[in-house]
Amino acid sequence: MALPAHISPMGRLAHYGYLIFCGSVLLFLIAPILVIVPLSFNAAPYFTFSREMLQLDPSAFSLRWYRDIVQNGMQNPNAAFGWAYLVDSWNNAQWIHSLKNSFVIAIATTILSMLLGTLAALGLTSPGMPARGLVTSLLISPMIVPIIITSAGMYFAFSTMGLTGTFTGLIIAHTVLGTPFVVITVTATLEGFDRNLIRAGLSLGASPVRVFRSVIMPLILPGVASGGIFAFATSFDEVVAVIFLADYDQRTVPRQMWAGIREQISPTILAMATILVLLSIGLLTIVELLRRRTERMRGTTL
Amino acid sequence: MMSGTIANVRPPAAQLDGAKRRQVLRQYRRSQRRDSLRALALVAPLCVFLAVMFGWPLATMLTRAVSNDDFGAVLHRTSASLAEWDGTGTPSERVYADFAADLRQARDEQTMGQVTSALNFEWTGARSLLMRTVRQLSSEPENGWKEKLIETAPDWGNPDLWILIKRLAQPYTSRHFLAALDLEQAADGSIQGVGPEKAIYVTLFWRTLWVSAAVAGLCLVLGYPLATLLARLPLKTSNLLMMLVLLPFWTSLLVRTTSWMVLLQDNGVINSMLVWLGLVSDGNRLSLIFNVTGTLIAMTHVLLPFMILPLYSVMKSIPPSYVRAALSLGASPVTAFWQVYLPQTIPGVLAGTLMVFVLAVGYYITPALVGGQSGQLISNIIAYHMQQSLNWGLAGALGSLLLVGVLLVYWLFNRLTGGQGLRMG
Amino acid sequence: MAAVTFENVSKTYDGKVSVVDNLNLRVKEGEFLSMLGPSGSGKTTCLMMLAGFETATSGEIYLGERPISRVAPQRRNIGMVFQNYALFPHMTVAENLAFPLRVRNISKADIAPKVKRALEMVELAHLGDRLPAQLSGGQQQRVAVARALVFDPNLVLMDEPLGALDKQLREQMQYEIKRIHDRLGLTVVYVTHDQSEALTMSDTVAIFNFGKIQQLATPDEIYETPCNSFVAQFIGENNMFSGTICERGDGVCKVRLANGDQVHALTVTDAPVGATTLLSLRPERIRIDPPAADGWTITTGEVIEQIYVGDHLRVLVRVFGGHEFVVKVQNRSAGNGLTPGQKIRLGWRASDCRALDAAAGQAGAA
Ligand SMILES: Nc1ncnc2c1ncn2[C@@H]1O[C@H](COP(=O)(O)OP(=O)(O)O)[C@@H](O)[C@H]1O
Ligand SMILES: [Mg+2]
C-alpha cells in the first residue's frame, strides 16, 4: 500500500513494521505446513534439510516414504507392479487399511450429520421455535466440551451398549462431534433466507413441493454442503475418540499417525501428512467456492 | 395548527365480541402451538441423538466420579452388616464372618483388585494385609472369624479400618473429587490436604489455566494486527491471504503437530538453521520441544485461526468512515485507533479470546505429543487415569471439574456474544 | 363486474388487535386501486390475504364470483410484486421469468417467446442471462414486474414495489407501470405509503388507517373532499384548527374559534351543535388581499415568515389570535413585498373550509 506524502518518517517506520509483523504471522501460520512437503521427499530418514537437498541434488529426493505407505504390511512388497501387487496392497498394507477406514467412517458421519444437522437447523430457524438460544447452545456444545471428556464418557456408555470396537460406535461418536458444524452453517444460511421467496414461488403457481425443490433446496444446499464438508473434515481428523473406542480393525489414519509419532516418528508420517494437506486444500477449495457462489448470489462481491 | 401526530395511538382493541374473541384467541394459540410443535419435531431427532450418545456418556462420567459401586458391590454382605455397627469398639462377629465370605467370593470371582485398590489408596499396607488375609480364608475357624482375622493381622482389630471400610462401602463417595483437588478424608472423617509429594492435580489445573490464558493472549497479540490488515485490504487480496489462514484451520491437527515436532526437535529445522546461521553453537541447541515451550508454540499455531476468524468478521463490518471521522476531527492515528476503532472490535476480541481459551483448556493431542513432562495439561492426566492407572473414578472427577469450568466459560461466551459468536469459515 | 370483493373481512394475528377491521371493498375489472396508509395500517396484510399467505379471521374474499379462502395460493393465478422483489437469486433473469411458465407445464418452445416478450416489455431484453444480484435496483424492480405478468394473471398485486428506489427512478417506474396497466387492461391492487404515487397512478384510492378504510374515492375526490380529519391531514397539506359548532345550516355551519371569532364552513361532520370540530383549509385556497365577495371569509393576520420554494412562496401568517396558517402564493414576479411583522388581509371561500370530526387519528371516524 502506498503511503500518502504527509506521513512522518516515524509513521512510515511503524507502517512497514506493521506490514512485516503481519507477514511474519502469516509465515508462522503457513510455514509449518509447507515445510513437511519437501521433507517427505527426503531420501534419508532425517527431519531436516540435508546439504544435498538444499543444493537440489536429485539423489537427495526420493519417493521411498510414499512407497512405504503403499507397501508397509504387504505380504509380498517386492513383487512386480501389477494387479496382484495392487490387490495385496489394498488388502494388507497398514496405511491403506487406515485410509479405507477413515473414508468409510468420515463419509457415513457426513451423511448422518447432514441429515440430523439440517433438520435441526430448519427447526431452529422456524418461527415457532421455543427457547431458541438455549437449544442452539446445547446442540453445538459437543464442539466445546473437551474431547477427552466426551471420549471417556463414550467409552463407559458405549461399552454397555456394545458399541466399542465397532464401526457403528465410531460413526456415532464422530456424528456427535461433526453435527454442530452442520447446525451452524445451515442455520447461518437459513437466517439469510428470505421467506418472501417461498411466497413468490407459490404466487407464481408452483406447488409447495416444487417450491421446496426449485427454490429452497438450491439456496440452502451450499450451506448444507459446507456443513457436510466440515463434518467430514472433523471425522477425518479425529483421533481421541478413536483411541478410546476403536480396535485395530477400525484404526484410522490419524490413529495410525498417532501411534507412529508416539513410537518412532518416521518420514512415512510426513508423506502421509503431505497427502492429508492436499486433501485439506481440496476441502478448503470446495468450501471457498461454495461461499463465493453464495456471495455472488447475494451480490456482495459486485 | 396540528402537526404530525397521526397514527401514534392505536385504538385500544378490536371490537370483537366476547365469544368471537375467545375463538380467535384459541385459534391463535393453536396455530402458535402448531408452529412450536413443528419446530420441535424438526429439532427432536438431533436432540434425542445427542441426549443418548452425548448427554448420557457425560452423565456416566459424572456418576463414575461419585460412585463407589465396585467396592460396595464386592463387599455387599459386609456393608449390609456394617450398617448396624455404631462405630465404637470392634464390630460384631457377624461382620467378620460376612467379610470373610465376601472376600472368599471376591477371590473366586477375581474381583479382589477393586477392593484392594480402593483400600490401598487410603490405608497404608492394605495390599499386603489383604493378601495375607485371603490366604487364611480356606479353612473354617474354630472360634469364629473375628478372632482368626485379628490373629492374622492386628489391623483387623483397629476400629479406624472398619470405619474406613464402612465409608468406602457407601454407594456414593466424595473421595475422587477430594483427590482431584489434592485433598483426602482422614480416618476421623476430617478433610485435609494430601502430602506435597502426592499433590499434583491443583498444580496441573493451574498450569492448564495459565497455559490456556497464555495461548489466548498470544493468539490475540498475533491475530489482531493481521485481522485488521485483512479487513482493510481489497477483497481480492484479503481473500487470497485468508486462504493462508484457512489452510491451517483445515489441516489435520496431527499433521500440524507433526510439523512442529519436525521443526522444533533438537536437530530439527529451526535448530539446524540457528546453528547454520551461527546464532547458537552446535552443543547448545535450544530445547524447544517436549516442554511447556513446545506446548505453547504448537497450541498457539493450532488455535490462531479461531482468533483471526471472529476478529476479521467483526472488523469487516466496521465502516472505515468512523476512523476517517476521528481523523477529520483532529485525532492522531493512534488516538483514532485506541478510542474509536478498538472499542468497536471488542465483541470480536471477546469471542476470539474465549473461544481459544475454551478450546485450549481441553487440549489433549498437542500437549501429549510436544509437551514432554512439563507441558502436560489436565486432559493428559485424565487420559492417563483412563488408560493406564485405570482409576476411572478419579478420571471422572477430574473430567467433571474440567467440564464445569469449560461450561462456565462457554456460558460467559454466549452471554457476551449473544450466541452469535460461533461462526465458521 | 367486480374482480375482487372483500366482504366484512377482519384479521387479527393475536386475538387482541384487529390489524384489518371489518373491511368491505370492491375492485372493478381493469381498475387500478391503491391502498394508501401509514406503516402498520394493515395494507400488506390485506394483500397477503388476497394472495393466500394469510387467512382472514372472519369474512370472505371473492375473486370474481368465487370465494377464495379454499383456493391454495399457487392456484389463485394472481401476479405479485413483493416489496423486496423476491427474485430467485440462483436463477438468471430469464429463468426467473420462465419459472411460472415451467410450473404450468408450458412447453419449452412456447416459454422462450413469452419470456422474450415480457423482457422486451420492461426493456431488459439484453439482460436475460444475468443473475438478479448483477442488476441495479431499478432493473430488479422491472424484472419483478415482468415476472408477475408473464403468466397472464388477471389480477396483479404490488406491495410498495417502488419503495427502495430513488425519487427519479420511482417517477419513471410509476409511469411505466401505469403504461403497462393501461395497455394490458390489468386489474391492479397497489400498496404504497407514498401519497403522490397513489394519487398519480390510481383510478381509485383506499386510505387505510388502523385496519379500516377511511375513504375510498378517486384521487381528486380524496384531495378535494377529504371525508374526515385523518384523510385531510394525511393527504397533501392542510391548515387544521379547531372550534365549536354554534349553528348548523343547510350544508354549512358556523364555528366559534378559541379567540371568539366565528367562521363559516362546509359541514362534513354530522356532529351536533355544541360539539368540537376540526376545520381544514388548503394553503393554496387562501388568498392574500381577497376580493370582497359573497361567501368569502375575510380576516387579518400578521406575517411571521416567508419561505422561497421556487414555483411558489410559503407565507406563515398568524391569525385568529394564535393559529399559524400556511399560505401558498404563486411566484408570479420576483418578490411580493411581504415582510415579517406586516399586517395583511386574507380570505377564502367558506366552502373551501371543511368542518370535520374532532379527533384526527382516531379510527371509527369514517
Ligand atoms: N405475521 C404477523 N404476526 C403478527 N403481527 C403481524 C404480522 N404481520 C403484520 N403484523 C402486524 O400487523 C400490523 C399491520 O401490518 P402490515 O399489514 O404489514 O401493515 P402495512 O403493510 O400497512 O405497513 C402491524 O402492526 C404488524 O406489526
Ligand atoms: Mg407493508
Side-chain angles (χ1 to χ4, degrees):
Chain A
M1 282 183 287
L3 286 181
H6 59 75
I7 305 283
S8 68
M10 271 308 283
R12 266 160 217 279
L13 208 62
H15 181 75
Y16 289 116
Y18 166 69
L19 289 185
I20 290 171
F21 181 85
C22 290
S24 318
V25 175
L26 280 175
L27 191 71
F28 170 71
L29 276 168
I30 203 73
I33 293 168
L34 296 186
V35 88
I36 54 172
V37 176
L39 282 178
S40 71
F41 294 100
N42 199 341
Y46 303 128
F47 296 116
T48 190
F49 294 98
S50 60
R51 188 173 306 277
E52 293 78 21
M53 285 183 93
L54 293 176
Q55 287 163 351
L56 296 180
D57 180 351
S59 70
F61 296 90
S62 88
L63 287 173
R64 62 185 277 206
W65 311 115
Y66 290 87
R67 206 173 311 123
D68 192 48
I69 291 176
V70 187
Q71 284 184 349
N72 194 346
M74 272 171 72
Q75 283 168 345
N76 193 2
N78 297 322
F81 186 80
W83 181 248
Y85 178 96
L86 286 178
V87 171
D88 189 4
S89 173
W90 179 257
N91 289 331
N92 299 315
Q94 284 181 27
W95 284 103
I96 303 292
H97 173 71
S98 316
L99 269 171
K100 285 191 293 191
N101 286 342
S102 277
F103 271 104
V104 167
I105 294 169
I107 288 170
T109 298
T110 308
I111 294 169
L112 257 180
S113 304
M114 278 177 24
L115 207 70
L116 290 171
T118 306
L119 283 182
L122 283 170
L124 286 176
T125 49
S126 63
M129 184 65 207
R132 180 172 296 135
L134 180 70
V135 176
T136 311
S137 313
L138 284 178
L139 292 186
I140 59 183
S141 59
M143 283 176 71
I144 301 300
V145 173
I147 180 69
I148 191 81
I149 298 178
T150 312
S151 305
M154 283 176 171
Y155 175 73
F156 295 133
F158 283 17
S159 55
T160 62
M161 294 189 266
L163 287 173
T164 46
T166 64
F167 278 98
T168 319
L170 279 180
I171 291 167
I172 289 175
H174 283 183
T175 305
V176 166
L177 299 172
T179 311
F181 291 100
V182 183
V183 173
I184 289 174
T185 51
V186 180
T187 306
T189 311
L190 288 173
E191 274 168 357
F193 187 85
D194 177 7
R195 277 171 194 275
N196 261 348
L197 292 178
I198 301 174
R199 293 175 163 172
L202 292 173
S203 84
L204 294 170
S207 65
V209 176
R210 186 82 188 241
V211 169
F212 185 78
R213 218 182 54 216
S214 22
V215 179
I216 303 181
M217 271 310 274
L219 287 174
I220 69 169
L221 211 53
V224 177
S226 304
I229 292 171
F230 269 106
F232 182 91
T234 305
S235 166
F236 210 87
D237 189 19
E238 207 290 321
V239 60
V240 183
V242 181
I243 292 174
F244 275 82
L245 300 175
D247 287 341
Y248 181 80
D249 279 346
Q250 296 94 38
R251 195 168 251 224
T252 58
V253 170
R255 179 69 182 81
Q256 175 107 1
M257 286 181 77
W258 166 261
I261 298 169
R262 299 267 280 192
E263 288 152 22
Q264 175 60 57
I265 176 165
S266 92
T268 309
I269 290 177
L270 297 192
M272 198 63 221
T274 306
I275 294 174
L276 291 187
V277 169
L278 288 181
L279 180 74
S280 30
I281 291 178
L283 295 181
L284 167 60
T285 311
I286 300 175
V287 171
E288 260 312 284
L289 290 179
L290 287 172
R291 192 181 62 81
R292 293 206 184 156
R293 193 185 108 97
T294 312
E295 281 198 352
R296 204 168 54 240
M297 284 186 325
R298 295 216 175 121
T300 43
T301 50
L302 266 171
Chain B
M1 194 174 133
M2 288 189 41
S3 56
T5 52
I6 294 181
N8 288 336
V9 270
R10 183 168 266 282
Q15 283 92 32
L16 292 173
D17 61 76
K20 178 79 190 168
R21 177 151 173 226
R22 269 196 300 281
Q23 188 203 337
V24 169
L25 259 171
R26 211 164 39 238
Q27 276 173 2
Y28 172 68
R29 297 231 179 82
R30 201 177 315 134
S31 84
Q32 282 219 316
R33 210 163 37 236
R34 205 171 40 230
D35 281 355
S36 300
L37 282 179
R38 209 176 62 98
L40 286 175
L42 287 167
V43 178
L46 182 55
C47 282
V48 172
F49 177 76
L50 286 182
V52 177
M53 298 301 178
F54 180 64
W56 186 49
L58 290 186
T60 322
M61 181 92 184
L62 294 181
T63 51
R64 282 273 163 188
V66 293
S67 83
N68 225 354
D69 287 350
D70 301 344
F71 194 90
V74 174
L75 298 181
H76 61 281
R77 296 187 198 93
T78 318
S79 63
S81 48
L82 263 179
E84 284 141 36
W85 176 54
D86 62 358
T88 55
T90 50
S92 64
E93 166 64 23
R94 168 117 186 278
V95 172
Y96 284 89
D98 285 342
F99 183 60
D102 281 340
L103 282 191
R104 205 159 9 173
Q105 189 186 351
R107 181 194 57 192
D108 298 342
E109 291 172 1
Q110 313 218 325
T111 48
M112 272 308 287
Q114 293 167 11
V115 179
T116 316
S117 61
L119 207 54
N120 202 44
F121 206 70
E122 309 208 21
W123 191 267
T124 18
R127 192 176 297 277
S128 64
L129 170 67
L130 281 166
M131 263 159 58
R132 204 157 3 117
T133 310
V134 168
R135 273 200 298 275
Q136 302 295 322
L137 291 175
S138 322
S139 57
E140 285 293 319
E142 288 127 40
N143 299 328
W145 282 105
K146 184 164 177 174
E147 192 191 294
K148 175 157 182 181
L149 287 180
I150 296 175
E151 213 168 81
T152 313
D155 278 9
W156 294 123
N158 185 346
D160 285 350
L161 179 55
W162 290 105
I163 291 174
L164 176 63
I165 291 176
K166 185 172 178 173
R167 202 180 78 219
L168 291 180
Q170 304 286 320
Y172 295 103
T173 176
S174 60
R175 79 191 141 96
H176 299 309
F177 274 107
L178 291 176
L181 295 168
D182 291 340
L183 298 172
E184 63 184 5
Q185 199 166 20
D188 64 0
S190 69
I191 290 170
Q192 61 189 36
V194 298
E197 73 288 345
K198 275 163 86 188
I200 48 173
Y201 302 115
V202 173
T203 323
L204 256 177
F205 272 115
W206 279 121
R207 185 196 293 159
T208 306
L209 272 186
W210 83 252
V211 166
S212 307
V215 168
L218 278 171
C219 284
L220 184 61
V221 168
L222 296 181
Y224 194 96
L226 181 58
T228 57
L229 182 69
L230 288 174
R232 259 179 24 180
L233 286 173
L235 207 60
K236 260 207 161 66
T237 326
S238 75
N239 266 341
L240 199 72
L241 294 183
M242 206 54 180
M243 295 299 256
L244 299 186
V245 178
L246 287 172
L247 182 58
F249 182 77
W250 278 92
T251 303
S252 163
L253 175 63
L254 273 171
V255 170
R256 284 182 285 170
T257 310
T258 312
S259 316
W260 281 111
M261 295 179 75
V262 167
L263 284 169
L264 297 177
Q265 276 183 3
D266 279 0
N267 41 19
V269 174
I270 289 182
N271 265 315
S272 304
M273 218 149 77
L274 291 176
V275 171
W276 183 70
L277 289 172
L279 291 176
V280 297
S281 72
D282 204 1
N284 292 328
R285 287 172 180 253
L286 305 177
S287 47
L288 298 168
I289 199 171
F290 305 129
N291 54 29
V292 77
T293 316
T295 303
L296 277 177
I297 296 178
M299 281 178 66
T300 303
H301 178 252
V302 167
L303 293 172
L304 188 50
F306 288 94
M307 177 66 81
I308 295 178
L309 293 179
L311 279 177
Y312 174 76
S313 76
V314 167
M315 288 170 178
K316 200 76 205 163
S317 68
I318 301 174
S321 52
Y322 289 109
V323 168
R324 289 183 190 151
L327 294 177
S328 80
L329 294 169
S332 73
V334 176
T335 316
F337 173 78
W338 277 105
Q339 304 206 351
V340 178
Y341 191 74
L342 187 76
Q344 297 187 75
T345 61
I346 292 297
V349 172
L350 280 177
T353 312
L354 288 178
M355 189 76 203
V356 169
F357 182 81
V358 108
L359 291 175
V361 162
Y363 247 61
Y364 167 62
I365 295 291
T366 310
L369 290 179
V370 302
Q373 195 58 45
S374 69
Q376 300 288 297
L377 302 184
I378 201 72
S379 282
N380 303 93
I381 201 78
I382 295 176
Y384 167 78
H385 284 306
M386 282 297 300
Q387 297 179 299
Q388 268 141 56
S389 79
L390 301 185
N391 193 345
W392 291 344
L394 183 54
L398 289 167
S400 308
L401 291 176
L402 176 60
L403 184 61
V404 169
V406 163
L407 291 183
L408 272 179
V409 180
Y410 181 46
W411 174 80
L412 192 70
F413 175 89
N414 272 328
R415 282 296 301 274
L416 292 176
T417 60
Q420 295 294 300
L422 276 175
R423 284 280 147 88
M424 296 288 114
Chain C
M1 189 185 91
V4 176
T5 313
F6 282 73
E7 209 174 84
N8 301 326
V9 173
S10 290
K11 171 71 184 175
T12 159
Y13 286 103
D14 53 6
K16 297 193 187 97
V17 178
S18 280
V19 169
V20 173
D21 195 5
N22 202 20
L23 186 90
N24 286 291
L25 176 67
R26 297 168 85 82
V27 185
K28 286 193 285 291
E29 197 83 59
E31 186 175 32
F32 194 115
L33 179 127
S34 286
M35 294 180 172
L36 173 65
S39 169
S41 56
K43 311 177 299 282
T44 299
T45 304
C46 279
L47 229 52
M48 289 298 165
M49 287 191 289
L50 192 46
F53 303 121
E54 298 290 353
T55 42
T57 310
S58 62
E60 182 58 275
I61 304 174
Y62 298 88
L63 206 57
E65 304 292 305
R66 199 163 49 125
I68 57 166
S69 56
R70 306 213 162 265
V71 186
Q74 68 268 25
R75 303 201 186 288
R76 294 192 181 184
N77 214 34
I78 295 176
M80 177 141 188
V81 179
F82 290 83
Q83 192 160 3
N84 58 357
Y85 314 141
L87 298 176
F88 304 129
H90 59 301
M91 299 183 192
T92 63
V93 168
E95 283 165 353
N96 263 286
L97 294 194
F99 182 85
L101 305 174
R102 275 207 336 256
V103 300
R104 285 175 172 73
N105 294 323
I106 294 174
S107 75
K108 275 214 168 62
D110 295 340
I111 289 180
K114 273 179 185 279
V115 168
K116 187 158 170 280
R117 217 169 325 122
L119 276 176
E120 275 163 4
M121 177 179 70
V122 294
E123 291 162 15
L124 288 175
H126 56 299
L127 295 180
D129 294 331
R130 295 254 188 113
L131 286 176
Q134 295 167 315
L135 301 180
S136 71
Q139 290 167 333
Q140 289 182 11
Q141 205 280 331
R142 283 191 255 183
V143 176
V145 171
R147 189 179 67 173
L149 297 175
V150 70
F151 57 100
D152 302 321
N154 11 43
L155 174 64
V156 180
L157 312 181
M158 303 194 187
D159 190 0
E160 306 199 15
L162 308 180
L165 304 183
D166 60 46
K167 188 169 182 300
Q168 213 169 359
L169 206 51
R170 199 157 65 218
E171 279 167 8
Q172 185 191 339
M173 286 308 302
Q174 285 171 9
Y175 168 76
E176 287 189 23
I177 291 175
K178 190 64 190 153
R179 185 176 56 93
I180 292 170
H181 165 254
D182 292 343
R183 214 178 68 202
L184 304 182
L186 296 165
T187 311
V188 176
V189 178
Y190 188 98
V191 164
T192 178
H193 64 253
D194 177 339
Q195 48 168 299
S196 72
E197 198 166 294
L199 295 182
T200 52
M201 296 174 76
S202 322
D203 302 323
T204 313
V205 179
I207 308 281
F208 270 66
N209 197 27
F210 294 143
K212 275 186 180 297
I213 294 183
Q214 306 288 325
Q215 187 167 8
L216 180 69
T218 60
D220 55 323
E221 281 168 352
I222 292 271
Y223 187 84
E224 300 293 341
T225 58
C227 70
N228 64 30
S229 55
F230 172 79
V231 178
Q233 192 136 38
F234 189 70
I235 300 293
E237 195 179 12
N238 254 320
N239 294 303
M240 305 283 280
F241 51 113
S242 65
T244 314
I245 302 174
C246 53
E247 236 182 273
R248 281 186 70 117
D250 181 21
V252 284
C253 62
K254 201 183 255 178
V255 176
R256 192 172 47 246
L257 305 178
N259 70 338
D261 282 358
Q262 293 196 350
V263 293
H264 287 276
L266 195 74
T267 327
V268 182
T269 177
D270 45 14
V273 171
T276 317
T277 178
L278 261 181
L279 299 169
S280 88
L281 179 58
R282 298 261 177 223
E284 67 270 22
R285 299 290 158 85
I286 303 175
R287 293 265 290 273
I288 292 173
D289 282 330
D294 225 20
W296 279 69
T297 306
I298 312 283
T299 183
T300 56
E302 181 190 337
V303 175
I304 303 171
E305 197 186 357
Q306 169 164 269
I307 301 159
Y308 182 79
V309 182
D311 58 344
H312 68 272
L313 297 157
R314 294 164 59 83
V315 186
L316 214 54
V317 186
R318 184 173 295 123
V319 288
F320 299 136
H323 287 291
E324 286 176 9
F325 271 18
V326 175
V327 181
K328 270 191 200 172
V329 186
Q330 287 274 304
N331 189 2
R332 295 224 171 71
S333 60
N336 56 2
L338 292 180
T339 51
Q342 188 181 346
K343 293 270 190 290
I344 51 171
R345 273 178 75 240
L346 61 166
W348 54 87
R349 273 198 194 86
S351 57
D352 283 336
C353 183
R354 299 168 64 80
L356 306 169
D357 55 299
Q362 296 269 306

